[in-house]
Amino acid sequence: MQQIITKAKSSYQEREPFVLFAKPNQSVLHAYFQKDAVLYTFENQEGFVFSAFNSKDSFIIPYEKSEAYTCEIQPLFLDAESTEMESFPISESSCFERLVEQAVQSINQNEFSKVVLSRKVSYEVGVDFISSYLQLVSSYVSAFRYLFYHPKIGMWMGASPEQLVQINGNELQTVALAGTQLYQENLFWEEKEKQEQQFVTDYIIGKLNPLVEKINVSLPFTVQAGRLAHIKTFIDAQLKISQKAIEAVKVLHPTPAVCGLPKEPALAFILANEKYDRKFYSGFLGEWNREKSNLFVNLRCAEIEENSIHFYVGCGITKDSIPEKEFVETENKLGTIQRIIKLKIKN
Ligand SMILES: C=C(O[C@@H]1C=C(C(=O)O)C=C[C@H]1O)C(=O)O
């Protein structure tokens, strides 16, 4: 593990691309160190994909241009350099709440039935990315935990609770995830949350139907993601022989779990009103192979710069949304990623 960490630090200093990741519920750390600094566009070649929300910016660290390493994750392995923790101040709510109100008005005028609105929350601090990532890896074992760096993209880190798609030969598996509350025993889901999650399930089934032979859908159930709980449904299908796996990715992204329904007016609302570029937040990332691929939605993530950090969090808005409650939901999601951040020691 020390070797991978040392190599990640030197790659960052040398401005060379790399990715570290651990799959959900696995204790193996994977690393790819790209041998050049080219920004490769994703064109179905094998590698680690990193794709923006906007679908146009889709990049890859190709396996054939990289050195691969794996190691067992040592429990609570923390970097030797000590770090300082700070709690992040609560951010301003009125702007986001106004945006939610505006979205509810558009829903009431039948422009769309759901839109996922997000916030970008920035702080001027120097982040110790290695210690933060190690903390993230040991804190959120059930998530897809990654640290990505490319000199032409920047550094991103996250713990995603949401699979975009897993493809094994022609077997395809995806999930519909939505609804959020703080995790507790015997929790209860309101109609609004159940309906929101059902929207996502129905949309995914509709999109996949033309590409697959048969489709199996589980009953919705509660899953835990850090301190949060969501509603999840498993969707399994068999790709038709003639269908390429990449086509399934194209129809699935962005799902209504990160964009809205119907997709086009919801997307137009996001682009016109969020007032910042989501970049890679709510895009997708992960391993892409000819036979076996495993992609996740880039949620609970942060963009790390030399002396600042930007957190990105969102939530689904429907006709029954209450702006103050939606703001609290984004604060809870923010906590997931803020909690593991460690700062650089000031000299
Ligand atoms: C958009 C995010 O999360 C998504 C939205 C959810 C919701 O609206 O309840 C729940 C899980 C995710 O599908 C995020 O974490 O930023």
Side-chain angles (χ1 to χ4, degrees), residues 72-183:
E72 268 300 304
I73 296 167
Q74 290 150 24
L76 269 172
F77 178 100
L78 287 182
D79 202 18
E81 285 167 33
S82 60
T83 50
E84 205 184 289
M85 270 280 276
E86 215 177 74
S87 64
F88 291 90
I90 287 217
S91 35
E92 196 271 334
S93 61
S94 57
C95 225
F96 185 71
E97 290 175 5
R98 270 201 306 277
L99 185 59
V100 174
E101 255 167 50
Q102 203 187 327
V104 173
Q105 271 170 22
S106 297
I107 293 169
N108 288 333
Q109 286 159 9
N110 296 320
E111 288 174 29
F112 42 81
S113 53
K114 172 181 175 176
V115 64
V116 179
L117 295 178
S118 70
R119 298 166 53 205
K120 176 179 180 180
V121 185
S122 304
Y123 297 90
E124 298 288 312
V125 286
V127 170
D128 179 338
F129 66 85
I130 289 288
S131 297
S132 302
Y133 180 63
L134 294 174
Q135 186 66 57
L136 177 134
V137 164
S138 56
S139 302
Y140 300 120
V141 174
S142 64
F144 180 78
R145 298 146 285 167
Y146 79 93
L147 173 68
F148 178 95
Y149 172 71
H150 194 294
K152 299 207 170 79
I153 288 177
M155 178 175 277
W156 286 74
M157 183 170 73
S160 171
E162 184 162 343
Q163 184 140 46
L164 179 67
V165 70
Q166 184 169 19
I167 299 165
N168 199 345
N170 66 343
E171 301 291 332
L172 177 151
Q173 189 180 66
T174 185
V175 301
L177 190 85
T180 305
Q181 59 176 292
L182 287 172
Y183 185 81

Side-chain angles (χ1 to χ4, degrees), residues 114 116-118 161-162 177-180 193 196 230 257-258 281-282 299-300 312-317 329 333:
K114 172 181 175 176
V116 179
L117 295 178
S118 70
E162 184 162 343
L177 190 85
T180 305
E193 310 274 18
E196 197 184 316
H230 301 298
V258 294
Y281 159 69
S282 66
L299 299 176
R300 320 294 141 85
Y312 296 81
V313 277
C315 59
I317 310 301
E329 183 175 320
K333 286 177 176 164

Side-chain angles (χ1 to χ4, degrees), residues 290-304:
R290 241 162 284 300
E291 275 305 299
K292 217 172 169 182
S293 296
N294 201 359
L295 301 178
F296 292 83
V297 184
N298 198 5
L299 299 176
R300 320 294 141 85
C301 62
E303 180 185 14
I304 298 171

